[in-house]
Amino acid sequence: MGRYRIPIFTLVILCNTFFLKDAWANEEPSREEIFEQRMAYYVHFGDLRVPWHYLAAIDQYERNIQSVRKDIPKRDSTIAIQFSDEYWAGPLNPSPKDTSPSTIDYFGGMGLDGNSDGVASPDDDEDILYTMASYLNQYGLKEEQFKIALWDYYQSEAVVNQILTIAKLYKHFNSIDLDTHVFPIPVRNHYSFRGTWGANRGFGGRRIHEGTDLFASYGTPVVSTSYGVIEIMGWNQFGGWRIGIRDNHNSYHYYAHLAYYNKGIKVGDIVEPGTILGYVGSSGYGKEGTSGKFPPHLHYGIYKFNGRTEWAFDPYPSLLQWEKQTKASKK
């Protein structure tokens, strides 16, 4: 599925050659090089303190929210994690930009020197990851302890759950390259769809259509468009038999109006692009079991979580792109 894994000997080399970031300073690194360097950082500091996928999940979460929040500065570096001046230098430190390990410690700051250069800089990727790894290490290495550490740091159950999802995916696939997508209906089948974002919906009161309808024959397979963890399965009076899947980019993928599910999946399962989730139907718009109030189709929606709220956005452009990519891969 296009996942990028780094051989052990490559990791050893990368972990001892962080100077590569300087070599890339004057040219744009390739996607593979970016993933290699990130993974090298995670493994290096993970080996010292905590499981690598914990650090990778936090870093990816921070990168995700920076891409959609205007109130958070975007950190233009290999590592996206950022600390507040108060957290790094100490709440009573008269120098909020302090980089001296001794005075940072004196004023109760958390910033640490991760590369033994005598400076604890919130602008240095190695110092940042070492500081985060040290924070997590105080709680322990078990998942429940990681969960508590996340709660104490972010104070949000939704954020904790999102980071746990990312960590679960990275650990399962032993990779951070989980960006492949496919079209939600196997392209060998007959189907049709068009942009219907924002159209009025009558059932259940005044509301708009938050997704794209893909019309296909009853029983046509519905597959996961992404890597993710199944968060919700069951009945919804609007969506009928539906499935909700959360991915590593803070996106929640919603598949509705299914006829029935793939019996081999359940809540908590990890899926990948192409995993069969269920089959096209016409369920919904009533009490459990209601069906046939509209032609068979898949309602597909995507919701983005920004660390505070979750909102729907139009999936139609993505579907067009994934359809094109999926058809090309079949040739």
Side-chain angles (χ1 to χ4, degrees):
M1 286 294 187
R3 298 192 295 276
Y4 190 86
R5 291 186 175 87
I6 305 174
I8 294 298
F9 71 88
T10 305
L11 283 174
V12 173
I13 294 173
L14 286 169
C15 287
N16 289 285
T17 55
F18 286 114
F19 66 83
L20 282 175
K21 63 183 179 182
D22 297 322
W24 292 339
N26 296 321
E27 59 180 83
E28 284 294 321
S30 68
R31 182 174 181 275
E32 289 73 20
E33 288 171 331
I34 291 172
F35 276 69
E36 282 180 353
Q37 193 174 15
R38 284 182 193 163
M39 192 69 173
Y41 274 124
Y42 302 148
V43 172
H44 179 67
F45 289 100
D47 284 348
L48 292 174
R49 296 280 176 164
V50 296
W52 73 268
H53 53 275
Y54 287 176
L55 292 174
I58 293 173
D59 186 47
Q60 184 60 42
Y61 168 77
E62 294 281 343
R63 184 172 295 103
N64 292 341
I65 62 173
Q66 288 171 29
S67 69
V68 295
R69 289 266 294 274
K70 293 182 178 180
D71 62 319
I72 298 178
K74 186 175 182 179
R75 190 166 190 275
D76 187 18
S77 190
T78 303
I79 302 302
I81 297 171
Q82 301 183 87
F83 295 96
S84 67
D85 291 343
E86 184 179 79
Y87 183 92
W88 188 270
L92 300 178
N93 195 328
S95 178
K97 301 295 183 182
D98 195 356
T99 60
S100 169
S102 59
T103 54
I104 287 175
D105 181 64
Y106 178 79
F107 287 106
M110 301 299 291
L112 298 172
D113 175 11
N115 52 12
S116 301
D117 64 355
V119 176
S121 173
D123 296 321
D124 187 289
D125 287 342
E126 294 169 71
D127 292 352
I128 287 172
L129 273 185
Y130 185 73
T131 297
M132 179 56 75
S134 298
Y135 168 77
L136 296 175
N137 185 254
Q138 297 173 25
Y139 289 80
L141 305 182
K142 296 180 179 179
E143 184 174 308
E144 277 303 310
Q145 295 167 322
F146 178 52
K147 192 173 181 179
I148 294 171
L150 292 176
W151 168 256
D152 287 347
Y153 188 80
Y154 288 103
Q155 296 288 300
S156 166
E157 184 177 357
V159 173
V160 171
N161 290 336
Q162 177 64 69
I163 295 175
L164 287 174
T165 291
I166 300 173
K168 185 174 182 178
L169 290 170
Y170 286 170
K171 180 182 180 181
H172 178 82
F173 292 106
N174 193 33
S175 173
I176 58 173
D177 187 0
L178 305 180
D179 297 339
T180 300
H181 291 85
V182 299
F183 197 65
I185 293 177
V187 293
R188 66 178 181 274
N189 293 275
H190 294 291
Y191 61 85
S192 65
F193 71 108
R194 62 186 179 86
T196 54
W197 176 263
N200 290 328
R201 285 294 181 267
F203 182 83
R206 189 178 181 85
R207 58 195 182 93
I208 66 167
H209 192 228
E210 294 184 344
T212 296
D213 289 337
L214 298 97
F215 291 88
S217 300
Y218 188 93
T220 299
V222 172
V223 303
S224 177
T225 62
S226 67
Y227 293 94
V229 176
I230 298 177
E231 197 168 277
I232 288 176
M233 288 180 69
W235 183 263
N236 176 278
Q237 65 170 330
F238 301 119
W241 300 115
R242 87 313 193 194
I243 292 181
I245 294 172
R246 193 165 298 278
D247 71 12
N248 61 311
H249 289 287
N250 293 21
S251 293
Y252 177 78
H253 303 255
Y254 182 71
Y255 307 78
H257 306 315
L258 302 177
Y260 48 99
Y261 297 120
N262 173 0
K263 293 181 179 179
I265 61 174
K266 62 184 183 303
V267 171
D269 281 357
I270 292 172
V271 297
E272 56 186 271
T275 298
I276 295 179
L277 305 176
Y279 302 86
V280 171
S282 59
S283 61
Y285 282 23
K287 64 181 182 179
E288 184 171 327
T290 302
S291 185
K293 290 193 172 184
F294 40 77
H297 70 278
L298 167 68
H299 169 93
Y300 177 73
I302 312 179
Y303 297 76
K304 180 68 73 173
F305 177 62
N306 69 0
R308 291 179 177 171
T309 59
E310 192 166 68
W311 75 95
F313 64 93
D314 188 0
Y316 184 68
S318 295
L319 287 169
L320 288 174
Q321 180 182 359
W322 299 341
E323 179 188 37
K324 182 178 179 180
Q325 292 172 346
T326 305
K327 286 183 175 179
S329 70
K330 300 298 182 183
K331 291 181 179 179

